[in-house]
Structures are given as structure tokens and as C-alpha cells.
Amino acid sequence: MSSKNIISRNIEIFYNKASEETRLNKGMGIFEFERIKSLIEKYLQKNSSKIIDVGGGTGKYSEWLSKKGHEVHLVEPVSKHINIAQDRNRKLKKKFHIHQGESRNLPFPNNYADLVILHGPLYHLQNENDRYLAISEAKRVLKKHGIILGFAINYTASTLAGLLNGLIHRETFFEMCKEELTTGIHHQPVDFPWILAEAYYHKPKQLEDEFLDHDLYYLNIYAVEGIAWLDKNYFSSMLDEKKSKTLAELIEITENDKYLLSFSPHMMIAMQKRE
């Protein structure tokens, strides 16, 4: 069995137990959804463009982009997510296109899209060669001057969360953190079934280097949550009008600060195809 099939099977098992559809509707997911939309908007064309949403889950971002007038193609490997995306699409006046597939073999011709969003591949592919293929495919289907937006999990994410909630003192959790900090490899501890399945957690500079290896032009790198989530009353603060403005301003003035980037659980890199 190929590595592609093995990885797809592991992802399928995890997401069949978890709910990606509801994740963005509760807790930190609510703020993550709005923040990621604001980051994507920095690179959206005003006129209609072709967008490929790779690993876009159940299609929440594809729906949003389609409603903004873009031609959107969702590429997703998980059957459960495809079914939910199809249900979502039926209710839309302007529909998006749905493809069951994965990042290393995109079903599009060369120079096809204006924007490619890599939502899950960079952290669901543990093997560096697999991530290389995913970025190569994104570049291949991109038009000249097109943009790739790649989302990654920071190598410090679990450790920071564990320090804040006390889980760092659980042996299996700490072992997981040590592996992430030293190798980037993430394995789900058996006694934490709700934690993300097998993944790869990037160091910021490494994320940048993986894209530069493809002769793509570096535009910027952004903290998604930034350091604002370290507010000990983060959830209540985000629901308070005045406090949420303070945190939003904090995120804005630090989002590109590479010295603070490792304090953000997620990050987004923006690259351009210029050849």
C-alpha cells in the first residue's frame, strides 16, 4: 500500500471520530474561523478569480469564498467531509466545485488557479517528501503571479497549551511535546484521543524554507491567533466588545513579528509564483 493511501486512511479514521464541521462553531474555533478569513482576504482579488481550497474540510471556507463571487474548487480526501460539503453546496445559490482528492495529486491542469489555499496538507503530511510534492502541485496549478497561502501548526503549539492548562505534567502529553519540539513529529497519545492525529508541526523558518525550495517568492508570514490567546480570560475577553478590540489590535501589530511567531499555535505563509 502506498504512503498516500496510508496517510489518507489515518486522516479518515481521526475525522470520522471528530467533528470538523462543529469545531469552527465553538470555543477557539469561532475566532480561528474569523481570523483566517481576514488573513485570506488580504490576498483576494476584487474581481472573480479561480481558487483551489486544498484540504478545506467540510467547505466552510469554500462556501464563504463562493458567496464572494469566486470560482472555488474544494479538494478534500475525507469522505465524511465530502458528504457534508455536498449538503452545504445544495443550499447555495452560487455553488462551489467539490473534488475528492488530495494535495499531492491535484485534479487540475497547469497554470489554472489564481489562488491556492493549503489548509491541511502541511501538517497532515509528516514526511518532508510528501510536503514537497504538495507544494510542487500547488505551484504547478497556479497561474503566473498567483498566490499560495499555506497554513501550518507551530512546533510550540502543544507545549504552550499544556503549560496553560496543566497538561504538561501528564507524562504522555509531555512526551508528545518533547517529540514535537525536537523533531516536529506529532503523535497522538493513546490517552488523549481528542488530540489531532499524526501530524507535523513546523518551526517558522523551516516553513519558509520549504516553500523557498520551490523558487517561490516570499511575501509574508502571519500569526493566526498570535499572542492574544495567552490572555488567561481569552474566551470571555473575545466576547467583550472593548477587550476584543484590544486583543485584535495586539494581533494586528504583532502578526508579522518573527520573534513572537512561535507563541501562535497556527501560522499562515503567503508565497507568489513569479516565473
Side-chain angles (χ1 to χ4, degrees), residues 34-46 64-65 68 70 115 117 149 151 268:
E34 294 304 317
R35 170 65 175 160
I36 286 178
K37 287 195 295 183
S38 72
L39 288 173
I40 292 173
E41 280 188 318
K42 293 178 184 287
Y43 294 94
L44 287 180
Q45 299 178 7
K46 290 184 179 180
W64 165 67
L65 290 164
K68 292 178 77 67
H70 301 288
L115 176 69
I117 305 172
L149 301 179
F151 289 88
M268 182 192 87

Side-chain angles (χ1 to χ4, degrees), residues 103-142:
S103 60
R104 292 160 295 174
N105 187 24
L106 295 176
F108 306 100
N110 297 347
N111 310 307
Y112 180 80
D114 301 289
L115 176 69
V116 176
I117 305 172
L118 298 177
H119 259 127
L122 297 180
Y123 50 86
H124 276 308
L125 296 173
Q126 282 187 331
N127 185 279
E128 184 178 358
N129 290 332
D130 287 321
R131 296 194 301 276
Y132 186 92
L133 286 173
I135 298 171
S136 292
E137 275 291 273
K139 180 183 178 181
R140 179 186 66 78
V141 303
L142 202 62

Side-chain angles (χ1 to χ4, degrees), residues 25-38:
N25 296 332
K26 60 186 179 181
M28 210 162 169
I30 299 171
F31 313 120
E32 177 188 327
F33 184 52
E34 294 304 317
R35 170 65 175 160
I36 286 178
K37 287 195 295 183
S38 72

Side-chain angles (χ1 to χ4, degrees), residues 120-225:
L122 297 180
Y123 50 86
H124 276 308
L125 296 173
Q126 282 187 331
N127 185 279
E128 184 178 358
N129 290 332
D130 287 321
R131 296 194 301 276
Y132 186 92
L133 286 173
I135 298 171
S136 292
E137 275 291 273
K139 180 183 178 181
R140 179 186 66 78
V141 303
L142 202 62
K143 295 176 183 177
K144 186 177 181 179
H145 302 307
I147 304 292
I148 300 175
L149 301 179
F151 289 88
I153 300 177
N154 221 311
Y155 77 118
T156 58
S158 300
T159 303
L160 289 170
L163 286 168
L164 287 171
N165 59 29
L167 289 177
I168 198 72
H169 301 291
R170 294 275 294 272
E171 183 178 357
T172 56
F173 191 93
F174 184 46
E175 289 301 317
M176 174 190 73
C177 291
K178 287 195 295 183
E179 187 172 23
E180 292 166 4
L181 290 170
T182 56
T183 70
I185 298 295
H186 162 83
H187 287 113
Q188 178 194 63
V190 293
D191 51 339
F192 288 93
W194 47 269
I195 287 179
L196 184 67
E198 293 177 1
Y200 189 83
Y201 291 4
H202 280 84
K203 292 182 178 179
K205 184 62 170 64
Q206 179 194 11
L207 177 64
E208 182 180 332
D209 288 342
E210 287 190 5
F211 279 88
L212 290 175
D213 284 344
H214 296 266
D215 295 321
L216 291 160
Y217 181 78
Y218 174 82
L219 296 174
N220 219 328
I221 191 166
Y222 300 82
V224 175
E225 302 87 351

